[in-house]
Amino acid sequence: MRIAVIGGGPGGLYAAALLKRLDPAREVTVHERNAPDDTFGFGVVLSDETLGGIESADPVVYAALRDEFVRWDDIEVVHRGRKLTSGGHGFSALSRRRLLAVLHERCRDLGVDLRFRSEAPAAAELAASHDLVIAADGVHSATREAFADAFGPDLTTHRCRYIWLAADFALDAFRFEIAETEHGVMQLHGYPFSADASTVIVEMREEVWQAAGLDRMDEAASAAYCAKLFPDTLGGRPLRGNNSQWIAFRTVVNARWSHENVVLLGDAAHTAHFSIGSGTKLAVEDALALAACVEENATLPEALAAYEAERRPVVTSTQRAARASLEWFEDLATYTGQPPYRFAFNLLTRSRRVTHDNLRLRDPDFVAAVEREAGVPEGTPPMFTPFRLGPLELRNRVVVSAMDMYSADDGVPGDFHLVHLGSRALGGAGLVMTEMVCVSPDGRITPGCTGLWNDAQAASWRRIADFVHTRSPGTALGVQLGHSGRKGSTRLMWEGIDDPLPDGNWPVVAPSPLPYRDGVNQVPRALEVSELAGLRDQFVDAARRAAGAGFDLLELHCAHGYLLSSFLSPLTNRRTDAYGGDVRGRLRFPLEVFDAVREVWPEDRALTVRISATDWAEGGTSAEDTLAVARAFADHGADAIDVSTGQVVSEERPDFGRSYQTPYADRIRNGLGVPVIAVGAISSWDDVNSLLLAGRADLCALARPHLYDPHWSLHAAADQDYTGPGAPWPQQYRAGSRKPPTGRTDAPKQRLTL
């Protein structure tokens, strides 16, 4: 088997060594255009997991590296003259140059042909003369570009500039230091990689970089400038470069990682921001998986498919965490005013991989200090602290999110809704939300949607509210009012979500005559200005009935592509009158409805608004638009913004993942100082505690977890050994407040040895 490797970085070298070691008969050639000791950057961080893989796959390489690693446990955060330390993390690093030297020696010992200082032949030429071509040629991969139609690359350049530098002394921890300058916020990421040297990465927003004049400085001037920024870390000591340049980080994603006998590896296939770890780590792990899959599979196509199937989920998860971390640092200026421990906790949990619970295992004293600073009573999980939502005092921070049940009869909620909402009210959440309750028959999504356009519906809602307040005192019940707009007149969800009814359709309306799906859904009638007052009055009438029914909170639904949401998004509002155009025009009608509802809603009850903070589609709602919308509703009297995303246009491309919508709530809360409800795949009590303690949200709304377990909040309290006032068990259920034994694994073990 003839194998060509393009690129002599750690990933390409390690792949070459492993493939040759597994079968010495293979002819393996590495093409590297630079000299053997040329390299960017300085230190490489590898996890214990990666080191274990190296030890298992090639003990010779592991033995050569073992004594080179610098190990440490602490992360230090320096901000506004305060240094806070969190321990128990565990890192290993070494010189990148030394890592390359070890891999060079191993490749030579195994008989790999290393060719330096020469450009590799074109990938197509190598593919014709070799059985396998491994493209490990980095973020600017020429191979990837040559076969772009096959690989389907998607490259995103981000908003910060950074530079790799080094200091000639060893830090004793992973260090973050924040500098607030006249030009803006700058940050240092530093770590030791040998007994007498440390990597120092300096990063800042593009506009800050330009304002400081760093775009006009050479390497030496940039190093000298950065050395003066961080006195606590550097203490006046100099920084040095290594052909260092200011770079804008680029995220690389590929639709496919192989094409015929050419396969991508490392940065050529994927990149992850340096703030969560090392690209070298991912490349080394790629190499190990690729070599194993080539060895284990009968044919090359099977091997390359197995390699991608094994590595892609890991890489996708890593890239998701890296994107969250990258964006946190891009928005760093919004957090610098946080109290010291909250700021440090927020930084440590920024990627959502480190959470409240596992950080408490690593360093319980640090987490206790964070909780004390936040005013969390000792022994109380953050999620079970009270929160004042305008005039409404909630006993905890958990919300049962609004979920459409499609089970009403002519808009009237029945026994199903009584049991559904009643059981979740008994389950311990501080606030339970109804589904979207429609303000008119034509404002329904489906024939099964509930309403509040007549007194019979109001009376049935009153029955549910009375049950909640009587049987679960202390639980607040909220109603979400909305109008389906162009997404109405569709089947029940389980019969075909967003599909039109086979018969009995009613006409739908929208700000502009744009169907939700061309050729599938109805073309909505564009609303005349003269009709808007009537629609507004439908919301007002429904709000009056909601007040009479006894709801504690009203939420105006301006999200998910329904009527008011369609006014807000530039993708669905193409009007040229006063109700379209820029964000102020698009806000006009939703604000008119909100103001009218506020006039009739009792002052001693809470009023919130749900918005879609992004449309997940090109040309949709911008980050600036979202802040303007949230600010406007807050200025008009909203007690909180319930921050969701998407479902506005059918061609959306959401970036799904754990807690994937919470960064949008975070930006509103910390950018505007407005209370927010975070939603979006928040599934664990650990995530809830983390989001609250980091100051990214005030309340957390969970949907599917409450379908899986109506008593999710009470069980979260039991799991955390909490029995306080934030999660009281109903009298009738108190005997079940302790988790039942699970079998013989809980039985006492007899002594069998001395």
Side-chain angles (χ1 to χ4, degrees):
M1 189 178 192
R2 299 189 71 213
I3 301 170
V5 180
I6 306 174
L13 291 169
Y14 191 48
L18 290 177
L19 286 162
K20 186 70 171 175
R21 176 176 178 267
L22 290 168
D23 185 351
R26 289 170 179 152
E27 179 185 314
V28 183
T29 305
V30 176
H31 299 269
E32 171 53 54
R33 63 184 179 183
N34 294 315
D37 57 351
D38 286 348
T39 181
F40 71 92
F42 299 94
V44 173
V45 179
L46 297 177
S47 68
D48 289 343
E49 183 180 36
T50 304
L51 292 175
I54 293 174
E55 182 178 18
S56 174
D58 194 334
V60 174
V61 170
Y62 177 78
L65 295 176
R66 181 179 52 211
D67 297 332
E68 304 277 348
F69 277 99
V70 178
R71 299 179 185 274
W72 71 98
D73 288 324
D74 290 348
I75 297 177
E76 295 174 345
V77 179
V78 182
H79 178 43
R80 294 185 175 177
R82 188 90 177 263
K83 181 176 77 173
L84 300 179
T85 303
S86 171
H89 296 278
F91 296 96
S92 299
L94 82 162
S95 161
R96 182 180 175 89
R97 184 170 278 117
R98 180 58 186 147
L99 173 61
L100 289 172
V102 167
L103 292 172
H104 291 160
E105 183 178 356
R106 182 60 170 152
C107 283
R108 290 191 183 99
D109 288 347
L110 291 167
V112 174
D113 182 5
L114 298 179
R115 301 182 183 181
F116 294 104
R117 298 187 180 91
S118 64
E119 291 285 346
E125 181 182 337
L126 289 173
S129 57
H130 289 74
D131 300 295
L132 173 63
V133 177
I134 300 172
D137 48 348
V139 65
H140 301 294
S141 170
T143 309
R144 185 184 64 228
E145 294 308 308
F147 296 109
D149 289 345
F151 292 126
D154 183 0
L155 312 180
T156 304
T157 302
H158 298 284
R159 297 180 292 170
C160 282
R161 291 275 180 166
Y162 67 97
I163 188 170
W164 291 83
L165 300 167
D168 290 323
F169 68 95
L171 291 164
D172 55 7
F174 206 118
R175 175 70 70 94
F176 295 98
E177 185 173 348
I178 312 303
E180 295 177 272
T181 75
E182 60 182 321
H183 307 297
V185 178
M186 306 177 185
Q187 63 263 17
L188 173 150
H189 311 241
Y191 57 88
F193 64 85
S194 72
D196 57 1
S198 299
T199 292
V200 174
I201 306 169
V202 178
E203 184 183 32
M204 64 199 71
R205 287 282 289 259
E206 174 93 17
E207 61 269 24
V208 175
W209 176 70
Q210 291 180 353
L214 286 160
D215 58 328
R216 300 183 296 277
M217 295 185 193
D218 62 15
E219 179 186 56
S222 291
Y225 182 96
C226 292
K228 298 174 183 177
L229 287 172
F230 305 101
D232 194 284
T233 298
L234 300 175
R237 287 168 287 195
L239 293 170
R240 58 181 170 86
N242 174 24
N243 195 23
S244 302
Q245 301 176 31
W246 288 98
I247 306 167
F249 188 81
R250 178 181 289 183
T251 296
V252 175
V253 176
N254 283 278
R256 290 162 296 281
W257 292 3
S258 64
H259 169 60
E260 297 179 349
N261 64 335
V262 179
V263 63
L264 302 177
L265 183 146
D267 283 353
H270 48 72
T271 58
H273 193 249
F274 58 83
S275 61
I276 72 155
S278 169
T280 301
K281 171 185 179 298
L282 287 177
V284 167
E285 291 171 351
D286 281 357
L288 176 57
L290 178 60
C293 289
V294 169
E295 188 70 11
E296 294 165 356
N297 287 272
T299 67
L300 185 65
E302 290 173 327
L304 298 186
Y307 159 68
E308 184 170 344
E310 178 179 331
R311 289 296 295 158
R312 184 178 286 277
V314 177
V315 168
T316 299
S317 175
T318 302
Q319 287 189 309
R320 187 179 300 119
R323 182 67 176 261
S325 179
L326 176 155
E327 291 176 348
W328 192 93
F329 281 109
E330 285 184 337
D331 295 331
L332 179 59
T334 65
Y335 305 117
T336 54
Q338 288 186 322
Y341 275 101
R342 169 162 282 182
F343 178 82
F345 180 85
N346 197 356
L347 188 155
L348 293 173
T349 60
R350 66 194 181 278
S351 72
R352 303 192 289 276
R353 285 195 158 184
V354 177
T355 63
H356 172 265
D357 199 45
N358 62 41
L359 189 55
R360 185 171 53 185
L361 290 174
R362 300 178 192 198
D363 192 340
D365 291 340
F366 175 80
V367 172
V370 178
E371 292 175 343
R372 281 195 302 272
E373 182 189 74
V376 177
E378 187 174 356
T380 301
M383 65 189 292
F384 293 120
T385 56
F387 181 72
R388 178 162 286 279
L389 182 59
L392 179 62
E393 180 78 19
L394 298 175
R395 69 184 177 204
N396 65 47
R397 309 295 188 96
V398 180
V399 180
V400 176
S401 197
M403 296 175 279
D404 290 320
M405 292 290 110
Y406 310 105
S407 299
D409 184 6
D410 198 22
V412 177
D415 289 346
F416 174 86
H417 298 85
L418 174 66
V419 174
H420 167 66
L421 294 169
S423 62
R424 279 142 191 89
L426 291 169
L431 171 64
V432 176
M433 293 298 302
T434 69
E435 61 196 83
M436 185 177 93
V437 177
C438 305
V439 298
S440 69
D442 287 354
R444 291 176 296 167
I445 309 166
T446 75
C449 290
T450 58
L452 258 174
W453 65 80
N454 63 40
D455 292 341
Q457 295 159 352
S460 192
W461 283 120
R462 178 83 220 188
R463 174 184 175 225
I464 294 169
D466 286 346
F467 177 90
V468 170
H469 294 144
T470 301
R471 294 296 185 178
S472 185
T475 302
L477 184 65
V479 61
Q480 187 185 75
L481 289 185
H483 185 295
S484 60
R486 70 176 189 156
K487 293 179 74 176
S489 191
T490 61
R491 304 179 190 218
L492 305 184
M493 180 182 68
W494 45 85
E495 294 175 351
I497 189 167
D498 295 324
D499 290 342
L501 293 168
D503 52 63
N505 285 278
W506 57 86
V508 296
V509 296
S512 301
L514 303 170
Y516 182 63
R517 291 177 296 176
D518 281 323
V520 178
N521 297 99
Q522 287 185 58
V523 176
R525 182 173 56 79
L527 287 161
E528 301 289 341
V529 172
S530 59
E531 298 177 274
L532 298 182
L535 281 167
R536 180 198 65 208
D537 291 345
Q538 290 176 357
F539 279 92
V540 170
D541 290 343
R544 285 198 180 99
R545 289 191 175 93
F551 287 104
D552 304 293
L553 175 147
L554 186 148
E555 180 166 277
L556 190 65
H557 200 342
C558 298
H560 300 168
Y562 299 122
L563 181 65
L564 299 182
S565 171
S566 291
F567 272 91
L568 292 173
S569 172
L571 296 178
T572 50
N573 184 344
R574 306 286 178 81
R575 299 175 75 97
T576 57
D577 60 11
Y579 291 93
D582 63 14
V583 68
R584 289 178 299 174
R586 302 196 306 271
L587 260 166
R588 189 181 304 275
F589 182 59
L591 283 177
E592 287 178 359
V593 173
F594 179 86
D595 289 343
V597 167
R598 185 167 57 96
E599 285 296 315
V600 301
W601 187 245
E603 291 184 0
D604 62 345
R605 306 188 203 179
L607 185 59
T608 64
V609 178
R610 172 169 274 201
I611 65 170
S612 282
T614 178
D615 300 331
W616 298 112
E618 187 175 351
T621 300
S622 68
E624 293 74 21
D625 286 350
T626 297
L627 291 176
V629 168
R631 184 185 296 111
F633 281 119
D635 289 346
H636 282 243
D639 294 310
I641 307 298
D642 186 355
V643 187
S644 187
T645 67
Q647 302 180 50
V648 175
V649 293
S650 61
E651 63 270 24
E652 69 176 5
R653 295 179 62 190
D655 188 13
F656 288 122
R658 180 171 132 256
S659 306
Y660 73 107
Q661 296 179 153
T662 58
Y664 297 92
D666 183 346
R667 287 176 197 146
I668 291 171
R669 186 186 190 278
N670 288 290
L672 302 179
V674 174
V676 298
I677 305 169
V679 304
I682 304 170
S683 56
S684 74
W685 50 259
D686 191 19
D687 285 335
V688 173
N689 287 330
S690 301
L691 292 167
L692 296 172
L693 201 56
R696 297 177 196 144
D698 298 286
L699 299 166
C700 291
L702 297 90
R704 287 177 176 84
H706 282 115
L707 294 179
Y708 180 77
D709 180 3
H711 296 84
W712 185 87
S713 299
L714 294 180
H715 293 152
D719 287 345
Q720 298 173 82
D721 297 320
Y722 174 71
T723 58
W729 282 74
Q731 187 74 26
Q732 298 89 335
Y733 292 174
R734 201 158 292 168
S737 61
R738 297 173 67 179
K739 185 173 287 189
T742 55
R744 292 189 59 84
T745 56
D746 294 335
K749 299 292 189 292
Q750 62 181 339
R751 181 184 295 273
L752 297 176
T753 60
L754 290 176

